[in-house]
């Protein structure tokens, strides 16, 4: 265990932060933006309640994965207890920060002027699932800049080869939640990850749409092997990707309210 004395301020209390492995650099974790954001948010949340309900006694860093010199993922445990009875609140956290995903709808007309809407999917190896060709909408981790649409257009270009301008993207999570939430949370019981779900509707020639099917893409030097797939919008609900299902739900609801 690390001998260094590190603390963070939570609601005016100095909470110790320790590492369970000697090779963990606690200082780098404290500077990891998702961790700093979490500490600030939990402090504000504790301050916001009328009656003090939760006591955070310590934070134990269990493991850290690095992307080169940068902190990538952090797993830690928070000793948090209800003041009224001393019972522990579940506090194991897998921290990875935010991500952005895009519902990219391609509209095309055939020779009969019939409009067809396709959604762009990517298939790539997802070891945790496990699957060598898991279907999902284009997505990627946020870089901390706060430029959600810029990151979204970058991911679309990398994963599908389609060039999208930032102004063509609509942040559906902003329309739905405003400043109340950072995005949609796929697993709040165990991870801090939030998803910004963006929408882009692009008109394309029917032949251009057909040429996308089966296209190989991705950054090979980043270990990516991506195949572009297309699915009709009205069949997207059949895809087992929570990003796609969440984006589809938001799109339909916002469309009904006339916001997109």
């Amino acid at each position: 265990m690390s001998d260094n004395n590190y603390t963070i301020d939570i609601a005016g209390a100095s909470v110790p932060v320790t590492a369970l492995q000697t090779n963990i650099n606690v200082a780098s974790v404290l500077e990891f933006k998702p961790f700093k954001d979490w500490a600030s948010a939990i402090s504000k949340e504790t301050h916001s309640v009328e009656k003090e309900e939760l006591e955070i006694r310590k934070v134990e860093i269990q493991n850290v994965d690095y992307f080169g010199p940068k902190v990538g993922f952090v797993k830690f445990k928070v000793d948090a207890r209800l003041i009224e009875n001393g019972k522990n609140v579940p506090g194991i956290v897998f921290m990875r920060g935010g991500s952005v995903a895009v519902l990219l709808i391609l509209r095309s007309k055939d020779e009969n002027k019939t409009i067809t809407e396709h959604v762009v999917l990517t298939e790539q190896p997802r070891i945790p699932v496990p699957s060598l060709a898991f279907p999902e909408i284009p997505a990627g981790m946020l870089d901390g800049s706060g430029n959600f649409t810029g990151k979204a257009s970058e991911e679309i270009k990398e994963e599908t080869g389609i060039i999208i301008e930032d102004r063509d993207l609509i942040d559906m999570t902003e329309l739905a939640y405003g400043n109340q939430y950072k995005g949609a949370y796929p697993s709040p019981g165990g991870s801090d990850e939030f998803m910004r779900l963006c929408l882009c509707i692009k008109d394309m020639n029917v032949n251009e749409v057909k040429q996308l099917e089966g296209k190989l893409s991705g950054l090979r030097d980043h270990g990516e092997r991506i195949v572009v797939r297309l699915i009709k919008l009205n069949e997207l609900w059949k895809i087992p990707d929570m990003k796609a299902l969440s984006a589809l739900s938001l799109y339909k609801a916002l469309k009904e309210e006339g916001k997109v």
Side-chain angles (χ1 to χ4, degrees), residues 64-237:
V64 180
D65 288 308
Y66 292 90
F67 297 166
K70 296 181 179 180
V71 174
F73 301 142
V74 179
K75 184 174 181 290
F76 61 93
K77 183 177 181 179
V78 181
D79 184 351
R81 307 183 187 189
L82 295 172
I83 292 176
E84 64 177 357
N85 57 20
K87 297 293 184 180
N88 281 89
V89 174
I92 295 177
V93 180
F94 172 63
M95 178 166 283
R96 57 168 294 161
S99 61
V100 60
V102 183
L103 179 63
L104 177 54
I105 300 173
L106 304 181
R107 286 179 176 165
S108 59
K109 293 181 181 180
D110 61 19
E111 61 275 7
N112 298 317
K113 305 299 181 181
T114 301
I115 297 176
T116 302
E117 293 181 316
H118 284 93
V119 173
V120 176
L121 300 178
T122 62
E123 286 184 353
Q124 59 186 306
R126 292 303 195 192
I127 300 302
V129 175
S131 173
L132 296 183
F134 189 78
E136 54 194 312
I137 59 176
M141 293 180 64
L142 293 172
D143 56 13
S145 67
N147 183 10
F148 304 119
T149 56
K151 184 62 178 176
S153 58
E154 177 185 319
E155 289 297 332
I156 288 177
K157 182 179 179 181
E158 288 180 1
E159 296 193 357
T160 71
I162 300 173
I163 298 176
I164 300 293
E165 299 292 336
D166 291 1
R167 62 176 179 271
D168 297 328
L169 287 156
I170 299 171
D171 187 342
M172 295 191 293
T173 40
E174 182 179 23
L175 289 177
Y177 313 127
N179 295 323
Q180 185 177 8
Y181 300 107
K182 285 186 174 182
Y185 291 82
S187 187
S191 178
D192 72 312
E193 182 183 7
F194 62 91
M195 297 186 303
R196 303 295 293 210
L197 299 171
C198 294
L199 168 70
C200 179
I201 301 176
K202 188 175 179 66
D203 292 317
M204 291 185 70
N205 179 280
V206 64
N207 291 324
E208 292 178 325
V209 173
K210 290 179 180 179
Q211 289 174 4
L212 285 170
E213 178 66 32
K215 180 179 178 180
L216 283 173
S217 64
L219 300 178
R220 296 299 190 272
D221 57 345
H222 288 191
E224 295 179 342
R225 184 188 183 279
I226 298 172
V227 178
V228 178
R229 297 297 184 195
L230 299 177
I231 188 172
K232 290 184 178 179
L233 178 61
N234 60 8
E235 296 182 347
L236 184 61
W237 62 272

